[in-house]
Amino acid sequence: MNAALLVILFFLVLCIWLGLQARKGKEMTMEQWSVGGRGFGSVLMFFLLAGEMFTTYTFLGASGGTYRSGIPAALYAFNCFYFVIAYWLLPPIWKYAKKNNVISQSDLYEKKYNSQALGILVAIISVIAIIPYLVMQLKGLGIIVSQASYGSISPNMAIVVGVIAITIYVSASGMHGAAWTAIIKDILILAVVVFMGIYFPLHYYGGVQPMFEAINEAKNEFLIFPEQGLSISWFVSATIMTALAFYMFPHMLAGVFSAKSAKSLRLNAGVMPIYQIIIVFSLLIGFSAIIQVPDLNGADADLALFKMAKMSFDPWFVGVIGAAGAMAALIPSSLVLTATATILSKNIYKVWKPNTTDQQLTKLSRMLVPVIALVTLYFTFNGGDSIFTLYLMSYSFMVQLFPALFFSLWKRNPATVQGAFAGMIAGIIIVFYSTVTETSLATLFPSLPQEIKDIDLGLAVIIINIVVTLGVSAVTRKSVNRVEEEADISHIAR
Amino acid sequence: MKKLIFVLTTIPALGSLVVINRVEPYVLGLPFVLFWGICWVFLTSLFLIIANKFDDSKEEEEL
């Protein structure tokens, strides 16, 4: 047992203790368990939604991506358009949810469109999209802990221990557990990432500018957007796509429903971009590794941060980094587990057995947590490398839910249930097909200008989705009107 | 108001990249395009907080 491992273990125990502590004095009804009784003010909201922002991606992905491709990945990592969208979209969604007692993302669609079938479709889409997301987090956790323990713990072992830990406190405390552990995690990540982001450029290059000058000398294509591939038009379209998809994830919306007021959500949207600045330090770590550890290829690029850390620090501090990274994987996973269990019990089981009481539902949701955890473990250990493809697919899947929700917020919703159904299904089929066959706009239309070929496929599919939604809606609305007219006429005739 | 915020943030932030895609001059030690990106993080925050000040009363009444 080395120093690094002891530190990680300490934080894991702290996490479980806090998670269990969070439920004190609260009777665990469905609303308490799944959306924290809708009582989270600005501060707790901030940590909860920010907790979702800082995952293993902040830690390994952003530094690894920067190491791999420089500026395009770096700028993409602190996309702040999430918040412009959030500012716009979340308050009306929150108000509607509060008024209509909505606690899950599929509830929202079910009530907006007055259709249980649509609720079920949304539930199925999000559960399918969420599993690869969880798997990615767990794989990240495995890498982090096994690296930080200097190989004395295998990735699989780390994953199993981590999953047991969150299963315990999530089934006990639900959303409350997730929120309180998020606070510790954020403080730890903040300290660790900011410190390394300042230390590495200073220690190895004598400053930030000398570092960038050295990189510019060695690899000058790394500090601007290239003409093709990860070009500006890729950046713009991918940024918009992820911003739209971001709040469609069931756990993100569950976080939104936990807010105390629309005001706390808007304030949150305003403050959050500044929080993103932390990611800049993670990018500096990635940049500093480009010259110091030049030989990482493929998936190994994600280890850039740990290679630098082990080269520079004592084991106990590597342990602190490991603990921060492990929590960065575990806390979002606990949110996701809570939201997924809620959807499965409320939007699928309850539709099937409508006379389930609220108490039974809470119990069922809590029992589903370990089941989902086991399914995820299965995919984590049997998934292979295609997981990354699945992860991209999960974002493109989720964004297909956007048009129906967006239209439902209009004063007069231009989309009908049938339209929403057709749009989502059309979008998902195209995403599925194009991911499996590795189609992109470039392979479909090789003669188009480069700017158009680089556009993110997810965004192109969204446009098709909108066209289908509105088209089918126009047709079905007409027939609905006709039925109503006929009903009127028959009424008059009588 | 909300549309205005969208126009004020998203369009210049994304649109300006075409012109701003360059390494020099370094600002605060950062390549210019990275510095520019970071600037927009602060500007987005600023715009949203200002908007929140003005939006406020009207929306809370609806509840």
Side-chain angles (χ1 to χ4, degrees):
Chain A
M1 173 107 22
N2 57 38
L5 209 53
L6 276 176
V7 175
I8 297 175
L9 214 62
F10 167 76
F11 278 102
L12 187 70
V13 172
L14 184 68
C15 221
I16 300 177
W17 181 77
L18 255 181
L20 291 175
Q21 205 67 10
R23 66 181 302 221
K24 269 205 174 148
K26 278 159 200 114
E27 202 196 336
M28 277 294 150
T29 60
M30 192 69 189
E31 208 179 27
Q32 279 291 353
W33 189 80
S34 57
V35 292
R38 256 183 264 275
F40 292 170
S42 306
V43 177
L44 211 49
M45 263 331 285
F46 177 74
F47 280 110
L48 197 58
L49 291 182
E52 181 44 37
M53 199 88 37
F54 294 152
T55 67
T56 43
Y57 178 75
T58 318
F59 227 70
L60 302 182
S63 55
T66 306
Y67 177 87
R68 232 183 320 247
S69 54
I71 282 288
L75 276 182
Y76 181 66
F78 58 91
N79 174 358
C80 52
F81 304 105
Y82 298 131
F83 311 112
V84 184
I85 305 266
Y87 184 90
W88 236 18
L89 218 57
L90 299 188
I93 292 177
W94 179 87
K95 270 180 216 164
Y96 183 86
K98 169 122 185 164
K99 226 179 257 169
N100 296 282
N101 202 22
V102 168
I103 62 169
S104 79
Q105 161 234 38
S106 355
D107 269 2
L108 187 69
Y109 286 83
E110 187 184 319
K111 291 198 172 144
K112 276 278 189 190
Y113 284 89
N114 196 16
S115 155
Q116 269 185 343
L118 189 67
I120 294 177
L121 178 69
V122 170
I124 293 171
I125 293 175
S126 29
V127 171
I128 293 174
I130 214 82
I131 299 282
Y133 179 91
L134 272 176
V135 170
M136 274 299 284
Q137 293 295 341
L138 292 183
K139 290 215 159 191
L141 172 80
I143 295 173
I144 291 169
V145 175
S146 111
Q147 281 288 321
S149 70
Y150 294 82
S152 66
I153 282 200
S154 75
N156 287 0
M157 171 84 172
I159 291 170
V160 171
V161 172
V163 166
I164 293 172
I166 47 172
T167 307
I168 293 170
Y169 77 75
V170 166
S171 40
S173 315
M175 199 56 133
H176 287 286
W180 282 101
T181 46
I183 295 179
I184 302 246
K185 177 208 90 173
D186 281 3
I187 294 170
L188 203 56
I189 289 195
L190 184 82
V192 163
V193 171
V194 169
F195 170 72
M196 287 196 290
I198 294 172
Y199 178 81
F200 288 151
L202 278 181
H203 182 77
Y204 288 102
Y205 301 88
V208 175
Q209 184 161 346
M211 176 177 88
F212 280 112
E213 277 164 356
I215 295 169
N216 201 21
E217 194 118 307
K219 300 187 161 194
N220 61 4
E221 76 278 26
F222 258 52
L223 297 185
I224 51 167
F225 284 94
E227 292 286 317
Q228 51 176 301
L230 299 177
S231 64
I232 291 178
S233 72
W234 164 80
F235 176 76
V236 171
S237 57
T239 303
I240 295 172
M241 199 276 281
T242 29
L244 294 183
F246 197 63
Y247 285 97
M248 296 300 112
F249 276 96
H251 57 291
M252 288 309 286
L253 280 176
V256 171
F257 300 151
S258 314
K260 203 169 16 183
S261 68
K263 203 182 158 179
S264 71
L265 279 172
R266 273 205 308 267
L267 196 63
N268 194 51
V271 181
M272 224 104 103
I274 295 178
Y275 210 50
Q276 291 273 87
I277 291 300
I278 300 171
I279 295 180
V280 173
F281 293 95
S282 184
L283 306 178
L284 291 178
I285 299 171
F287 278 120
S288 68
I290 292 176
I291 291 177
Q292 295 302 324
V293 273
D295 49 351
L296 303 173
N297 295 312
D300 280 349
D302 287 340
L303 298 179
L305 183 145
F306 270 101
K307 290 268 181 253
M308 289 295 286
K310 280 189 189 166
M311 224 163 79
S312 324
F313 304 124
D314 283 347
W316 72 267
F317 191 72
V318 174
V320 175
I321 300 169
M327 287 167 105
L330 290 177
I331 277 89
S333 305
S334 66
L335 261 175
V336 171
L337 273 179
T338 310
T340 315
T342 308
I343 290 177
L344 282 176
S345 65
K346 189 155 191 294
N347 300 92
I348 296 182
Y349 183 80
K350 199 177 176 182
V351 172
W352 180 45
K353 288 212 161 126
N355 50 5
T356 317
T357 64
D358 194 50
Q359 214 170 8
Q360 285 169 317
L361 215 57
T362 318
K363 211 170 140 195
L364 177 69
S365 307
R366 293 164 75 166
M367 279 177 355
L368 275 171
V369 172
V371 178
I372 304 166
L374 276 177
V375 173
T376 315
L377 272 185
Y378 175 82
F379 283 111
T380 311
F381 294 148
N382 297 294
D385 289 336
S386 63
I387 292 299
F388 185 67
T389 326
L390 283 172
Y391 181 71
L392 287 179
M393 202 156 86
S394 91
Y395 249 91
S396 314
F397 263 11
M398 288 319 297
V399 81
Q400 301 308 326
L401 300 182
F402 179 79
L405 181 61
F406 178 66
F407 288 134
S408 80
L409 294 173
W410 291 19
K411 273 212 180 89
R412 253 186 72 103
N413 184 353
T416 61
V417 189
Q418 294 89 336
F421 254 102
M424 281 179 200
I425 289 172
I428 275 162
I429 290 172
I430 302 173
V431 170
F432 190 74
Y433 175 81
S434 64
T435 317
V436 170
T437 58
E438 295 186 352
T439 313
S440 70
L441 288 179
T443 60
L444 279 179
F445 309 104
S447 59
L448 282 175
Q450 194 63 45
E451 286 78 25
I452 298 181
K453 279 198 285 189
D454 290 338
I455 286 178
D456 188 277
L457 192 74
L459 195 70
V461 180
I462 265 284
I463 294 166
I464 300 175
N465 180 333
I466 291 174
V467 171
V468 172
T469 307
L470 291 178
V472 173
S473 298
V475 175
T476 48
R477 185 169 311 256
K478 247 178 222 150
S479 60
V480 169
N481 286 346
R482 200 173 303 134
V483 172
E484 276 168 7
E485 272 165 31
E486 277 164 13
D488 281 347
I489 293 166
S490 62
H491 182 74
I492 295 164
R494 220 181 284 143
Chain B
M1 185 67 195
K2 286 180 184 168
K3 272 181 202 138
L4 188 69
I5 290 299
F6 199 68
V7 172
L8 274 177
T9 51
T10 311
I11 292 171
L14 293 175
S16 57
L17 280 176
V18 183
V19 192
I20 251 58
N21 190 18
R22 50 201 278 185
V23 180
E24 284 179 330
Y26 287 90
V27 184
L28 302 172
L30 303 168
F32 197 73
V33 62
L34 184 57
F35 166 75
W36 187 249
I38 295 170
C39 269
W40 274 102
V41 173
F42 287 103
L43 286 175
T44 306
S45 237
L46 186 72
F47 284 138
L48 291 181
I49 289 168
I50 293 174
N52 190 29
K53 271 243 155 25
F54 288 104
D55 255 5
D56 223 53
S57 51
K58 204 175 76 194
E59 276 212 341
E60 294 307 313
E61 275 167 15
E62 283 168 29
L63 256 182

